[in-house]
Amino acid sequence: MKYLDIFNFSKYSFDGIKSYENVILYLNRHWFVMFGKFLAFGLLLIVPFVIYAVFGEAIVSMGIDNLFWLIVSIYFLFWWNSLFYAITMYLLDSWIVTDHRIIDSEQKGFFSRTVSELSLSRIQDISTHIVGPLTTILDFGDLEIQTAGAEPKFVFKEIPGPNAVKSKIMVAHNEFVSMHKGDVEVHEGIGKGLM
Amino acid sequence: MSPDILSKIPVGQIIVGAFFVFYWIQAFFIIYHLVRFGIGVKPKVVALIYFVGAIILYTLVSSGVSQLSFDGLAGLFDGVVNPDFMREVDPFNMISK
C-alpha cells in the first residue's frame, strides 16, 4: 500500500525541500476567489435542466429525448473537466514560506509553470494591499516583497490574512538573519564538513 | 475514393471515439498535475474525487452512446437536409442539372 502514502504523507512536503528546511506557511489564494467560479459552474450545471423544463415537451414529441440526455451527459463531461481544471489551477498557484526561503509557484495553464525563489536574507521591505469593502471584510489581499537589487517584486496575490502573513515573514526573516551571519548557510556547511 | 467506401466509414463512431480519447488525455493532465505538483494532501484527494467522478460520467455517457443508433439519427435530419439536392448539383461547377 506504498502508493496510498500520497494521501497521508507529511503535510507540506514539496519538490526540492531541503532536509533542514521547515515550512512556516503554505498559501493559496483566498477561497472567495474561487467562490465566483463555483457560482458560475453551479449555474452552468442547471442550464440543461432549464432547457428541458422549457423545451421538454417539444423534445419528447420529436422523439429525441434519448439524444438530448446523451448530449447533456457529454456536456457534463466537459463541465466536470472544466470545473477541475479551474480547481487544479487554483491549487497549483501557491506560495510557500520556509525558515530559509520563499517560493512562488504560478500555474498559468497545463504547460506554463513559473517557480521563483527568494532567500529570506534578501527581503528588504514588505507591504500589503487590501482594496475594497469585500476584501476588507473577508481579510484578503496582495502582499508585496521588495527584494535587494533590481529583481522584480515578489507578489502574493489575493492571499488570506496578508497582515498576519507579513508579520510571520518578518519574524522568519529576523530569525534567519540572526542565525546566518554573513548569509552563510550553516546547515550545508555542517553537511559538507561531515563528508 | 468511391462513394460506397465513404458511406461505409463509421463517421459517428470515429467522432465519439476521438472525443473520448481527447477527454481521457485531458483527465490524465489534470490528475498528473494535481499529484505531481500539488503540495500537501488536499490536491491528491481532489485528484481522487475527480478520477472517481470522471469514471462515473464516462460510464454513463459510453452506455448512452452504445444504446444510440447512429443510423437512426440520420432520419432526424430528413426534413433539414434534402439528399436529392446533392445529387442534382455538380459539385465542381455548381450548376444545377
Side-chain angles (χ1 to χ4, degrees):
Chain A
M1 290 314 215
K2 193 182 122 193
Y3 297 107
L4 292 177
D5 281 355
I6 58 167
F7 296 111
N8 55 18
F9 197 55
S10 74
K11 210 176 169 189
Y12 296 129
S13 63
F14 60 90
D15 235 9
I17 190 168
K18 289 167 179 142
S19 57
Y20 50 81
E21 204 170 17
N22 299 305
V23 175
I24 298 168
L25 289 167
Y26 170 70
L27 301 160
N28 288 112
R29 286 171 200 253
H30 193 269
W31 61 265
F32 189 75
V33 178
M34 275 306 281
F35 180 74
K37 285 182 183 172
F38 278 134
L39 207 66
F41 277 109
L43 287 173
L44 287 172
L45 183 68
I46 59 167
V47 164
F49 300 107
V50 172
I51 290 171
Y52 193 76
V54 177
F55 301 106
E57 279 181 29
I59 289 165
V60 173
S61 66
M62 283 171 77
I64 54 166
D65 45 339
N66 281 344
L67 176 68
F68 173 79
W69 288 114
L70 178 73
I71 291 167
V72 167
S73 55
I74 291 171
Y75 168 83
F76 283 143
L77 277 180
F78 271 112
W79 179 86
W80 186 252
N81 267 16
S82 307
L83 172 70
F84 277 80
Y85 174 80
I87 294 172
T88 304
M89 292 305 121
Y90 169 77
L91 287 174
L92 299 187
D93 217 2
S94 61
W95 296 271
I96 306 162
V97 180
T98 75
D99 53 1
H100 283 72
R101 56 188 169 147
I102 294 169
I103 299 157
D104 174 2
S105 174
E106 258 188 284
Q107 193 80 32
K108 295 167 189 161
F110 279 139
F111 305 105
S112 175
R113 185 174 167 79
T114 311
V115 180
S116 334
E117 199 178 303
L118 169 76
S119 170
L120 286 181
S121 65
R122 294 178 67 79
I123 294 173
Q124 280 212 325
D125 172 64
I126 305 176
S127 55
T128 58
H129 301 282
I130 302 172
V131 182
L134 259 176
T135 51
T136 306
I137 292 164
L138 296 171
D139 188 25
F140 71 97
D142 295 349
L143 181 145
E144 284 184 3
I145 300 175
Q146 181 71 55
T147 59
E151 289 164 32
K153 281 181 184 174
F154 249 63
V155 184
F156 291 30
K157 290 168 196 154
E158 296 163 323
I159 54 162
N163 288 317
V165 171
K166 186 179 89 170
S167 305
K168 283 189 178 173
I169 293 173
M170 284 314 293
V171 169
H173 167 73
N174 292 338
E175 278 179 13
F176 181 84
V177 171
S178 66
M179 288 176 72
H180 297 78
K181 301 281 183 200
D183 204 9
V184 176
E185 185 45 74
V186 287
H187 305 283
E188 282 176 3
I190 291 166
K192 279 173 191 166
L194 287 171
M195 284 163 82
Chain B
M1 213 181 278
S2 75
D4 288 345
I5 294 169
L6 279 174
S7 65
K8 282 174 187 168
I9 295 171
V11 180
Q13 279 94 331
I14 288 170
I15 292 168
V16 171
F19 167 76
F20 284 147
V21 168
F22 171 74
Y23 174 76
W24 280 111
I25 288 172
Q26 206 179 24
F28 168 76
F29 283 134
I30 290 174
I31 293 167
Y32 176 80
H33 277 75
L34 284 170
V35 174
R36 171 77 179 77
F37 301 115
I39 296 165
V41 178
K42 206 197 290 178
K44 281 84 174 176
V45 173
V46 169
L48 183 69
I49 293 167
Y50 167 73
F51 185 57
V52 170
I55 286 178
I56 291 168
L57 281 171
Y58 176 78
T59 310
L60 283 173
V61 174
S62 55
S63 67
V65 169
S66 65
Q67 285 169 17
L68 196 73
S69 163
F70 287 97
D71 298 331
L73 278 181
L76 288 172
F77 303 102
D78 278 351
V80 183
V81 179
N82 180 6
D84 293 338
F85 171 78
M86 298 303 286
R87 287 189 205 112
E88 287 169 5
V89 173
D90 183 334
F92 298 104
N93 298 320
M94 292 300 284
I95 298 165
S96 198
K97 288 176 184 172

